[in-house]
Amino acid sequence: MNYMEIKKSDIANGPGVRVSLFVSGCTHHCKGCFNPDTWDFCAGKPFDDDVREEIISLLERDYIAGLTLLGGEPMEPENRAVLLPFLKIVKDKLPTKTIWCYSGYTLEELQDQGADEILGLIDVLVDGEFVLEKKDIRLAFRGSSNQRIIDVPATLAANEIVFFDLGTRK
């Protein structure tokens, strides 16, 4: 897997100050995508052990609320295969840090694809393709009104969609 960028202090992609990893590779190619440079799976730099350690080190800072995955498409099968072991390490070493993931796939599509193990490591999933005709810059943490902000642990426990409470901002 390649990545395009690591934002060390991101306040736009989840609550609090976060470390954001922009992965390479996306097959959705949404019209009006804010980051089309990330569509190419070969773009950027390799996500290697040094990069993993850098992100862990950044996440260890007290003021960092958590990790956000976006791109590109973190939930492309080839990206999931690399992110899964990394997220296990993050959860093990830093259990108080939240993990947010932005995906053009819906939760239901990811479940149909057998992504349950990685979903079990994510706290919040912002799901659904960006739809230019539904773009709304007033929305918190999403680009278009069709996208949902899902509390993944609560959803998995209830076996029905539970939306993330933006009032709690965990």
Side-chain angles (χ1 to χ4, degrees):
M1 180 182 88
N2 281 0
Y3 73 99
M4 292 296 288
E5 181 180 8
I6 297 168
K7 288 194 176 185
K8 298 176 181 181
S9 296
D10 187 359
I11 59 169
N13 295 300
V17 180
R18 310 186 66 76
V19 175
S20 291
L21 172 65
F22 291 77
V23 303
S24 298
C26 183
T27 58
H28 299 295
H29 298 182
C30 300
K31 178 180 158 188
C33 174
F34 83 105
N35 213 0
D37 293 344
T38 64
W39 292 354
D40 182 354
F41 285 87
C42 296
K45 301 175 232 171
F47 186 75
D48 59 20
D49 289 339
D50 290 338
V51 174
R52 287 179 192 85
E53 289 304 314
E54 176 187 359
I55 293 172
I56 295 287
S57 177
L58 292 167
L59 288 169
E60 288 173 340
R61 297 176 177 169
D62 289 341
Y63 64 91
I64 298 293
L67 173 66
T68 298
L69 306 170
L70 58 170
E73 174 58 73
M75 295 304 240
E76 292 289 2
E78 48 269 76
N79 290 341
R80 283 195 320 246
V82 174
L83 289 172
L84 178 61
F86 174 64
L87 295 183
K88 287 179 179 179
I89 293 167
V90 171
K91 280 294 189 181
D92 183 54
K93 287 187 174 185
L94 303 159
T96 63
K97 306 293 181 170
T98 59
I99 298 175
W100 277 51
C101 181
Y102 285 77
S103 178
Y105 294 105
T106 65
L107 175 68
E108 295 84 0
E109 289 170 329
L110 291 169
Q111 289 173 319
D112 288 346
Q113 292 174 16
D116 295 333
E117 190 174 10
I118 197 166
L119 286 169
L121 299 168
I122 293 169
D123 296 290
V124 175
L125 177 69
V126 182
D127 80 340
E129 291 187 5
F130 171 75
V131 176
L132 185 59
E133 295 76 21
K134 295 182 179 189
K135 179 179 179 179
D136 186 346
I137 61 171
R138 298 169 296 176
L139 297 171
F141 305 128
R142 56 195 174 128
S144 58
S145 61
N146 63 295
Q147 295 172 312
R148 305 176 296 180
I149 304 175
I150 299 171
D151 182 325
V152 178
T155 293
L156 296 177
N159 203 29
E160 64 181 16
I161 299 292
V162 177
F163 295 109
F164 177 72
D165 182 356
L166 289 173
T168 63
R169 302 228 169 186
K170 61 178 176 179

